[in-house]
Amino acid sequence: MTGESGESEADVVRVETTEQLRAVSNLVRHRILAVLRDGPATITQIAERLGLAKGSSSHHVRTLERAGLIKVVRTNKVRGVVERYYAHAARRIVLPEPAPGQSDVVMGHALADLAEAPENSPRLVRMQHTRISEAKFEEFSERLRALLDEIGEARDNEEDAASVAVMFFRPRDSGPVAGA
């Protein structure tokens, strides 16, 4: 079966269980998933990339594996020890919408990543408030989705990483401004 974007259900992991939600809610595990976007890696390689102790890396990798978010894609025997290479279990992870009053896990991780980005790294951070019709809201939503798809398709594994986090929503407010 294929979804709306033409990908099969095998290409998607839908986060639905408590174990999966706990796994993706942790910032270290979020960063491990980011490392694995660049390709398979061992626990040692993940630990080195993230500056973690190997034991900590192992714990987080196993949590992600138990949750079905990553899997072993190959093994290699080195000096009598089996090295396991881990990769994403699917091309895309789909998270549920946060419950009312709860923060969005993805946006929380994005803000933490932004806070730790080097000061001199190029960035565009902007917040804008406006008032628009429902039709315009839908139009801009579609255009943002298309732009994000285009950014994803422009991936070049030889270039530096870049992250995009988009929030486009209707905040809770008192409605239209009288007399405006």
Side-chain angles (χ1 to χ4, degrees):
M1 178 174 185
T2 57
E4 61 192 52
S5 64
E7 59 195 10
S8 74
E9 285 300 312
D11 291 336
V12 177
V13 172
R14 296 189 186 286
V15 173
E16 297 170 335
T17 69
T18 302
E19 181 179 33
Q20 289 174 317
L21 286 168
R22 282 191 187 122
V24 298
S25 295
N26 180 279
L27 184 58
V28 172
R29 292 190 281 270
H30 156 76
R31 291 186 173 147
I32 289 170
L33 290 168
V35 166
L36 296 177
R37 278 195 302 260
D38 292 335
T42 66
I43 287 171
T44 301
Q45 291 168 334
I46 292 167
E48 288 172 359
R49 287 266 316 268
L50 296 176
L52 297 172
K54 192 174 171 185
S56 177
S57 178
S58 177
H59 164 75
H60 290 296
V61 165
R62 295 205 195 303
T63 299
L64 289 166
E65 184 180 25
R66 277 193 309 273
L69 301 171
I70 66 172
K71 63 184 179 181
V72 175
V73 292
R74 75 176 184 264
T75 59
N76 187 26
K77 198 166 190 175
V78 177
R79 289 180 240 116
V81 176
V82 176
E83 271 186 333
R84 290 175 180 83
Y85 285 81
Y86 294 88
H88 286 240
R91 291 182 51 178
R92 205 163 59 93
I93 298 172
V94 176
L95 292 133
E97 290 295 317
Q102 289 187 333
S103 62
D104 187 287
V105 169
V106 172
M107 285 299 140
H109 291 334
L111 290 172
D113 288 345
L114 178 63
E116 290 191 19
E119 284 184 32
N120 61 348
S121 68
R123 65 178 76 197
L124 168 63
V125 177
R126 179 175 169 180
M127 183 171 183
Q128 182 169 331
H129 298 280
T130 190
R131 293 185 177 274
I132 57 175
S133 69
E134 194 60 38
K136 280 289 184 191
F137 187 92
E138 288 304 316
E139 175 190 334
F140 287 129
S141 293
E142 286 303 313
R143 288 170 58 191
L144 284 169
R145 281 186 198 96
L147 180 59
L148 290 171
D149 289 345
E150 182 181 338
I151 290 169
E153 291 165 6
R155 179 185 179 95
D156 183 342
N157 290 337
E158 302 301 316
E159 295 296 334
D160 291 337
S163 292
V164 179
V166 175
M167 293 187 291
F168 185 51
F169 62 98
R170 292 206 181 269
R172 181 177 21 183
D173 72 0
S174 58
V177 178

